[in-house]
Amino acid sequence: MTTDLTVSTADGVALLTLNRPQARNAYTGQMGQLLSQAYLDCDQDDAVRAIVLTGAGDAFCAGADLAAPTSPFDAPGAADEFTASPIAPAAFELSTPVIAAVNGHAIGIGLTIALQADIRIMAADAKYAVPQVRRGVVPDCMSHWTLPRLAGTAVAADVLLTGRTFDGHEAAQMGIATRCLPAAEVLDHALSIARDIAVNVAPTSAALTKRLLWDTVINGYTPRQVADLETQLHHRVMGSPDAREGVEAFLQRRAPRWSS
């Protein structure tokens, strides 16, 4: 028995691996269901301080499985509950930081899933594209929302309207990749970021900061609204055990021992 997604947890980091290496991790409905559930489970587990999403083998996700018996682009039947955003919750809707270790090719839904992560470490020489317009359909996974907010409307128009292919170097230049590295270094680097968060970042602070960051983008808060919300969150955490521990650990030059 194999599963389209594997989950392992160690040292506060959950590693989620898209697991169809024989098909370059081509996306399936089961994969989407498993990833959605894994996101929920990890976000509800206090022991998980950061999530890393990667692909098995030498690809991240080659897009929808076009070799499946039923084409993903067929018209849905009357009983089908089709959605163009099958990953629910999306990575940006969680409270736990999510790092996409894009270790190889990410095409179509493979890339649009990665766009939902907080941080993207992308392989330099891999191929990336959102080619749905070249297949007679349209981009998915909220990419019309995530991409312009990550990289701007001009970049989003270029990527989504042309469906063209680009590499990791250009992804970094456009602002899609947080960092661009040789493929062999991508997962280790992503895990190192996740472990650093797990050890050195207060869990409550990470959750509050992530939610305010994305809620500001989603709700379009004004600067003064953000200032008010930051003040409210400061009142929530100032004087807390973690606030005291963060200062003491820094002054004593040791790893913090968070209470939450």
Side-chain angles (χ1 to χ4, degrees):
M1 293 290 291
T2 60
T3 177
D4 288 1
L5 182 85
T6 63
V7 180
S8 62
T9 306
D11 302 321
V13 176
L15 177 61
L16 314 183
T17 304
L18 307 177
N19 188 44
R20 300 185 71 222
Q22 75 285 358
R24 291 192 164 180
N25 304 317
Y27 176 87
T28 66
Q30 183 193 45
M31 182 183 287
Q33 293 169 8
L34 292 170
L35 179 57
S36 298
Q37 189 61 53
Y39 274 166
L40 281 170
D41 292 344
C42 290
D43 209 38
Q44 294 169 2
D45 187 347
D46 290 340
V48 174
R49 306 293 178 84
I51 298 168
V52 174
L53 175 65
T54 195
D58 60 1
F60 181 76
C61 175
D65 188 0
L66 301 180
T70 302
S71 170
F73 301 146
D74 286 346
D80 290 345
E81 295 182 1
F82 172 78
T83 173
S85 293
I87 311 304
F92 61 77
E93 294 176 311
L94 307 180
S95 295
T96 308
V98 179
I99 303 159
V102 188
N103 55 305
H105 303 326
I107 307 297
I109 195 170
L111 181 55
T112 57
I113 288 172
L115 293 176
Q116 297 181 343
D118 302 300
I119 298 170
R120 277 160 301 287
I121 311 302
M122 299 177 69
D125 294 331
K127 294 179 180 179
Y128 305 107
V130 185
Q132 279 89 329
V133 291
R134 296 181 179 229
R135 308 290 182 263
V137 288
V138 295
D140 51 24
C141 285
M142 308 182 220
S143 53
H144 295 84
W145 184 85
T146 55
L147 192 49
R149 281 157 181 79
L150 292 172
T153 304
V155 169
D158 178 14
V159 171
L160 298 181
L161 293 179
T162 70
R164 68 179 182 84
T165 300
F166 51 93
D167 65 12
H169 298 287
E170 188 175 1
Q173 292 170 357
M174 291 189 292
I176 294 172
T178 307
R179 292 183 187 84
C180 165
L181 296 172
E185 300 176 17
V186 166
L187 179 56
D188 284 346
H189 189 76
L191 287 170
S192 72
I193 295 172
R195 291 177 185 129
D196 180 59
I197 291 172
V199 172
N200 293 306
V201 176
T204 298
S205 297
L208 294 175
T209 299
K210 173 170 176 172
R211 287 281 23 101
L212 180 55
L213 171 66
W214 283 104
D215 288 349
T216 296
V217 174
I218 293 168
N219 298 317
Y221 294 147
T222 66
R224 278 294 152 198
Q225 286 176 315
V226 172
D228 290 341
L229 290 167
E230 288 175 343
T231 300
Q232 293 175 31
L233 295 181
H234 272 86
H235 281 297
R236 178 172 172 178
V237 297
M238 291 172 71
S240 69
D242 280 353
R244 293 192 295 272
E245 172 61 15
V247 173
E248 291 176 6
F250 174 76
L251 294 175
Q252 296 171 15
R253 299 183 179 181
R254 59 169 174 80
R257 296 184 289 270
W258 306 118
S259 62
S260 56

